Amino acid sequence: MAKIGFIGTGIMGKPMAQNLQKAGHTLFFSEHFDKAPADLVGDNGIALANPKEVAQEAEFIIVMVPDTPQVEDVLFRDNGIAQGVGAGKVVIDMSSISPTATKQFAEKIKATGAAYLDAPVSGGEVGAKAATLSIMVGGCPNAFERALPLFQAMGKNITRVGGNGDGQTAKVANQIIVALNIQAVAEALLFAAKNGADPAKVREALMGGFAGSKILEVHGERMIKGTFDPGFRISLHQKDLNLALSGARELGLNLPNTANAQQVFSTCAALGGSGWDHSALIKGLEHMANFNIRGE
């Protein structure tokens, strides 16, 4: 069983850490920012003062924090991960961050003698709890093979996409697809309800055809019931689409539909919904239409 450092025990990180513990691994947590969750600390969960101490104790160091600046901080701060790693260790960033920054971080970590994997995930809180996450990995094949049992304790669809940065690129692509599917479902249900049809029955009818999708199944039901407690917050999806749009500018690409989805998310944020689940994109469309499919 491996000794694993785990930094970032939020909505996604905590169940991921729990699944690693269920698989028999010993985890080390840093308390430089917050106390480690009490239910993770015990026989196979040890709290330490800072990321450097975690990196010194662990063979694998997993980072699962919200955005690029937080990853950079835990890696390279005073008493950060970079000061505690060396040959034989593997740093695994499972956050969703900039592919460009990832390549820079990887080079700095590899200069210490450690290996670096970017391994962002998809599947939300539900997938994190059920250990069914999709994991998109960038990095060298040897480090990937060493880390594979850890990934298998947290997810089901595990793919090494290529070198460092390619995992994050795949995640940005994933978030484009998810956002545009959410918007498509929201627009369809809004159209149906405004036209006098029962959106729940329309969803049921569409589930059996070519329009059927996981987004229609899960998020379509959320839209109809109005259950917008986050599995994945709008603010985080906005962050991911910002990565897509800034990357597109660097590449000379136009992503018009991604930009449009971002504008609808911004409408939700202006309504106070940054913390809503991303399925609540429909509330931005409803606001613009002055019509609510739930009759609220």
Side-chain angles (χ1 to χ4, degrees), residues 181 184-185 188 202-203 205-217:
N181 271 274
V185 169
V202 170
R203 171 183 167 275
L206 297 180
M207 283 295 297
F210 202 54
S213 69
K214 198 70 174 177
I215 297 293
L216 180 62
E217 176 188 352

Side-chain angles (χ1 to χ4, degrees), residues 242-275:
N242 281 337
L243 293 174
L245 294 169
S246 62
R249 283 192 296 272
E250 293 173 6
L251 296 168
L253 295 176
N254 182 19
L255 302 179
N257 293 318
T258 303
N260 182 262
Q262 183 74 307
Q263 288 300 314
V264 182
F265 277 139
S266 294
T267 299
C268 295
L271 295 171
S274 293

Side-chain angles (χ1 to χ4, degrees), residues 1-6 16 19-20 23 25 27 59-62 90 92 94 135 144-155 158:
M1 294 295 102
K3 292 182 177 180
I4 303 167
F6 202 104
M16 291 164 66
N19 284 325
L20 287 168
H25 302 293
L27 270 60
E59 176 187 1
F60 300 94
I61 304 94
I62 293 174
V90 182
I92 307 170
M94 303 191 77
I135 305 176
F144 173 73
E145 290 299 327
R146 287 178 59 194
L148 186 57
L150 279 59
F151 296 143
Q152 290 169 334
M154 296 180 283
I158 302 156

Side-chain angles (χ1 to χ4, degrees), residues 26-255:
T26 297
L27 270 60
F28 299 87
F29 304 102
S30 173
E31 296 194 324
H32 70 286
F33 185 75
D34 278 329
K35 288 284 187 183
D39 53 343
L40 294 180
V41 177
D43 291 341
N44 60 346
I46 299 165
L48 298 172
N50 55 58
K52 176 183 177 181
E53 292 185 9
V54 168
Q56 288 172 330
E57 293 292 332
E59 176 187 1
F60 300 94
I61 304 94
I62 293 174
V63 178
M64 185 62 178
V65 295
D67 204 349
T68 306
Q70 289 79 31
V71 174
E72 184 173 22
D73 179 64
V74 298
L75 289 176
F76 304 116
R77 64 184 285 133
D78 287 340
N79 292 316
I81 289 169
Q83 296 179 7
V85 292
K89 304 208 175 200
V90 182
V91 176
I92 307 170
D93 178 28
M94 303 191 77
S95 321
S96 296
I97 70 166
S98 162
T100 301
T102 291
K103 294 174 185 178
Q104 297 167 355
F105 298 165
E107 290 306 310
K108 290 182 180 180
I109 292 296
K110 288 190 286 189
T112 71
Y116 191 96
L117 298 173
D118 48 290
V121 302
S122 179
E125 183 183 12
V126 172
K129 288 181 175 178
T132 57
L133 294 169
S134 291
I135 305 176
M136 298 150 264
V137 187
C140 76
N142 289 342
F144 173 73
E145 290 299 327
R146 287 178 59 194
L148 186 57
L150 279 59
F151 296 143
Q152 290 169 334
M154 296 180 283
K156 293 297 183 186
N157 182 31
I158 302 156
T159 305
R160 179 182 170 269
V161 181
N164 286 129
D166 291 344
Q168 295 293 353
T169 296
K171 177 59 188 289
V172 172
N174 177 86
Q175 294 304 80
I176 293 171
I177 293 170
V178 170
L180 299 191
N181 271 274
I182 289 174
Q183 183 163 337
V185 169
E187 290 186 7
L189 295 180
L190 180 63
F191 170 80
K194 182 68 173 178
N195 214 27
D198 180 347
K201 289 295 184 182
V202 170
R203 171 183 167 275
E204 183 180 338
L206 297 180
M207 283 295 297
F210 202 54
S213 69
K214 198 70 174 177
I215 297 293
L216 180 62
E217 176 188 352
V218 176
H219 288 349
E221 183 176 33
R222 282 175 172 261
M223 293 173 191
I224 291 163
K225 293 183 177 179
T227 52
F228 298 126
D229 292 336
F232 191 76
R233 296 190 301 274
I234 281 175
S235 61
L236 291 177
H237 211 140
Q238 285 186 292
K239 177 261 296 183
D240 292 338
L241 294 190
N242 281 337
L243 293 174
L245 294 169
S246 62
R249 283 192 296 272
E250 293 173 6
L251 296 168
L253 295 176
N254 182 19
L255 302 179

